[in-house]
Amino acid sequence: MLAKATGLDADMIFIDLEDSVAPLEKAEARPAAAETVREGNWGDRVVGIRLNAWDTPWTHLDVLEAVAVAGDRLDVVLLPKVGSPAEVTALDLLLTQAERNADRAVGSIGVEVQIESAAGLAAVHAIAAASPRIETIVLGPIDLSASLELPGPLDGSALPESVRVTLLVAARAAGVQVIDGPCTAVRDADASRAHYGRSRDLGYDGAWVLHPDQIAIANEVFTPDADAFARAAQVLEVYAAATTGDRRGAVMFGDEMIDEASRKLAARVVARGRRAGLTLPD
């Protein structure tokens, strides 16, 4: 799996030290993760390591024995089951020491935090602003469903939409990304498409995948429609001409009035499209 990871068409790859590693395998997993990050041909992908949570005895060892020796190719670490801002602060301090000992610039390792408990959900706004290292808020739907004692399927699909919106608002208020959890029906393309479509429609920046077959589906769903991308670019062009040339704050675009709010939304669509590799015709 580690050897295959470098050839996957995902925007980000992380090596897991948490749930997918049995307790007796933790010690062997750390050097394997570090070597994979350090030696892998990752191209322009974001590369990370998921640590064990602070309620285990392994978090500091993950940082010292994996993160600290993974080299400059390590972009981020993922901290699961975050329940308070103090947990982020503790990781920030430990990463600072690891960076200094490894002659890395302080602050060069980003942090993604997973919200997977009622405590984390209640404190998500404070957690999102707990450190300048934070780049992303990640929803952990299955653990969070268990923490909230929700009935229903074991895949986290019973989680209310209001929970996803709460994370979205916290992330946007803090100026960071928000990423949904995975679709566990890895062999059901329709289920994956529906899952990622819901995340996209709620305004999420992306979602996790569990299987290589889900990558193409997620990439397709989260890439803006080419016509919508081109139209958003036209809105930016027309609005720029209206505000600078004619000095108007609002202008008609076909049968639609556009203003500064329209520009902000269009800029978001264009930025997302460019990140996905879309280009405008000459």
Side-chain angles (χ1 to χ4, degrees), residues 174-251:
V176 300
Q177 294 184 112
V178 59
I179 298 293
D180 204 349
C183 174
T184 58
V186 296
R187 302 189 186 281
D188 188 335
D190 291 337
S192 294
R193 190 176 302 278
H195 177 88
Y196 300 135
R198 178 184 60 181
S199 306
R200 176 204 59 206
D201 293 344
L202 282 173
Y204 274 54
D205 296 294
W208 281 9
V209 299
L210 295 177
H211 191 278
D213 289 347
Q214 295 175 308
I215 296 176
I217 298 173
N219 284 338
E220 177 188 340
V221 170
F222 280 101
T223 298
D225 176 79
D227 291 339
F229 173 71
R231 185 180 185 280
Q234 286 182 312
V235 167
L236 295 181
E237 184 178 353
V238 169
Y239 184 70
T243 54
T244 57
D246 300 331
R247 297 189 178 185
R248 286 182 289 165
V251 65

Side-chain angles (χ1 to χ4, degrees), residues 148-181:
L148 296 175
E149 300 185 15
L150 296 179
L154 299 179
D155 59 0
S157 59
L159 202 65
E161 294 294 83
S162 59
V163 171
R164 285 183 166 82
V165 173
T166 298
L167 264 65
L168 172 71
V169 173
R172 296 297 180 241
V176 300
Q177 294 184 112
V178 59
I179 298 293
D180 204 349

Side-chain angles (χ1 to χ4, degrees), residues 224-241 253 258 262-274 278-282:
D225 176 79
D227 291 339
F229 173 71
R231 185 180 185 280
Q234 286 182 312
V235 167
L236 295 181
E237 184 178 353
V238 169
Y239 184 70
F253 181 72
I258 59 174
S262 309
R263 183 202 65 79
K264 291 177 181 177
L265 189 56
R268 179 81 176 172
V269 173
V270 169
R272 188 185 292 265
R274 285 176 174 161
L278 296 181
T279 58
L280 293 169
D282 294 337

Side-chain angles (χ1 to χ4, degrees), residues 5-184:
T6 58
L8 300 177
D9 190 24
D11 300 303
M12 174 180 176
I13 303 284
F14 71 86
I15 311 303
D16 192 23
L17 298 179
E18 198 215 9
D19 284 350
S20 61
V21 179
L24 295 179
E25 294 292 327
K26 299 290 185 184
E28 292 187 26
R30 294 185 195 107
E35 181 182 3
T36 300
V37 171
R38 187 175 58 248
E39 305 298 334
N41 181 17
W42 299 106
D44 60 356
R45 297 173 186 83
V46 176
V47 182
I49 292 176
R50 182 164 71 162
L51 313 172
N52 287 280
W54 278 117
D55 62 355
T56 73
W58 302 306
T59 316
H60 70 293
L61 296 174
D62 293 341
V63 173
L64 298 178
E65 297 178 11
V67 172
V69 296
D72 292 343
R73 194 57 189 86
L74 180 68
D75 300 307
V76 298
V77 294
L78 291 80
L79 183 63
K81 299 177 176 63
V82 180
S84 72
E87 297 176 28
V88 179
T89 301
L91 177 60
D92 190 327
L93 293 171
L94 187 56
L95 286 173
T96 295
Q97 293 185 350
E99 287 166 338
R100 286 173 174 162
N101 287 331
D103 292 325
R104 285 193 62 158
V106 172
S108 60
I109 300 174
V111 171
E112 299 193 358
V113 294
Q114 276 188 276
I115 304 301
E116 305 179 82
S117 68
L121 182 61
V124 66
H125 285 271
I127 290 171
S131 167
R133 292 182 186 269
I134 293 181
E135 299 178 1
T136 307
I137 305 296
V138 181
L139 173 63
I142 299 177
D143 278 297
L144 184 52
S145 295
S147 178
L148 296 175
E149 300 185 15
L150 296 179
L154 299 179
D155 59 0
S157 59
L159 202 65
E161 294 294 83
S162 59
V163 171
R164 285 183 166 82
V165 173
T166 298
L167 264 65
L168 172 71
V169 173
R172 296 297 180 241
V176 300
Q177 294 184 112
V178 59
I179 298 293
D180 204 349
C183 174
T184 58

